[in-house]
Amino acid sequence: SSIGHNDRFTPTESAKQHVNIQLLRMGKEKFINIYNNFPNYPRGEGKRVRYILSDTLDRMFIATTEGLMICNPSESPEEMQFTVCRRYPGSKNSIGGNDVIHILKDSSGQIWLSTYGGGLSLIKGYSDNEVPIFVNYTTVNGLLDNIVLAAAEDIDKNIWISTEKGIMRFEPQQKIFTDYSLWSNSTPISYNEASVATDAKGTILFG
């Protein structure tokens, strides 16, 4: 079988932004995608995939422009089910925004979501039917901007985030945001979506 699109990826931690093919599995000599398999894939919500993160053996997160999808990668493509988490106005436990740009798994296993317009979302737990319960941080809580582009954890377990208005540090225990946008340069700097890395020395790099 041919690949479904030229922008291809396999289910690893990251994926190209705005990829029009949703989910691929590469077999020995063929690509499996939603056009020849995955009958339960939600094509509406999963039209544009931004990022993929493998959490546990039975849980994978897929960031899309229409919500966060969760699946069990150990299931066969024919049987794989997808849970879609979307923003529900008035629900404090739903995700902060439907357009999820980046996903971070910190050293304690917590999942942080960078969203476009919905701020920073943390999965604080799961309901009885394994649906995520979210805590959301926005400009109301001290964020510079609700467009969060990427996140990374430092050696002190602080979360560093890039936004459209600059860099911030978040201390999860104290729930304190610190603005570093004016420390970096007097000239405004723009950052790219899902562009972040941590080197061997623990230095965090934002693109």
Side-chain angles (χ1 to χ4, degrees):
S1 300
S2 64
I3 190 168
H5 193 279
N6 289 332
D7 288 331
R8 55 192 180 276
F9 59 89
T10 51
T12 55
E13 281 196 355
S14 62
K16 291 182 179 179
Q17 298 173 19
H18 302 302
V19 181
N20 288 324
I21 184 67
Q22 291 81 16
L23 181 63
L24 302 175
R25 272 190 174 180
M26 190 166 59
K28 184 176 181 181
E29 295 181 345
K30 69 176 182 179
F31 289 90
I32 303 173
N33 55 58
I34 67 161
Y35 301 111
N36 58 30
N37 213 312
F38 297 104
N40 300 314
Y41 188 84
R43 296 195 178 201
E45 294 88 346
K47 183 180 293 185
R48 302 181 76 185
V49 171
R50 285 184 176 273
Y51 200 89
I52 298 177
L53 183 137
S54 180
D55 181 23
T56 61
L57 291 176
D58 60 359
R59 183 161 57 217
M60 179 176 290
F61 295 103
I62 304 171
T64 81
T65 57
E66 297 295 333
L68 177 71
M69 298 197 307
I70 306 172
C71 66
N72 182 347
S74 65
E75 293 179 336
S76 68
E78 295 81 8
E79 298 177 348
M80 189 176 292
Q81 300 293 321
F82 297 84
T83 299
V84 180
C85 303
R86 291 180 54 81
R87 175 65 182 167
Y88 296 103
S91 173
K92 65 178 183 179
N93 291 325
S94 65
I95 193 170
N98 290 329
D99 192 350
V100 183
I101 298 174
H102 180 256
I103 309 173
L104 165 69
K105 182 177 181 179
D106 68 20
S107 58
S108 64
Q110 294 189 116
I111 302 296
W112 300 83
L113 307 171
S114 302
T115 76
Y116 190 96
L120 183 68
S121 292
L122 166 68
I123 297 179
K124 70 174 182 179
Y126 296 87
S127 66
D128 292 339
N129 56 349
E130 294 300 310
V131 174
I133 300 171
F134 298 91
V135 175
N136 302 306
Y137 300 95
T138 67
T139 52
V140 174
N141 309 104
L143 262 178
L144 273 174
D145 190 73
N146 286 333
I147 300 176
V148 180
L149 304 171
E153 182 186 31
D154 66 18
I155 58 175
D156 296 318
K157 301 186 185 304
N158 298 311
I159 305 299
W160 291 78
I161 61 175
S162 57
T163 76
E164 284 212 337
K165 293 185 178 179
I167 299 294
M168 300 201 77
R169 183 187 68 190
F170 180 59
E171 301 172 56
Q173 294 300 320
Q174 291 75 28
K175 295 181 173 54
I176 297 173
F177 285 97
T178 303
D179 177 10
Y180 285 85
S181 61
L182 298 179
W183 292 30
S184 57
N185 199 308
S186 57
T187 303
I189 298 175
S190 61
Y191 298 92
N192 291 314
E193 297 177 355
S195 182
V196 63
T198 304
D199 68 15
K201 296 181 180 180
T203 302
I204 297 173
L205 311 169
F206 287 101

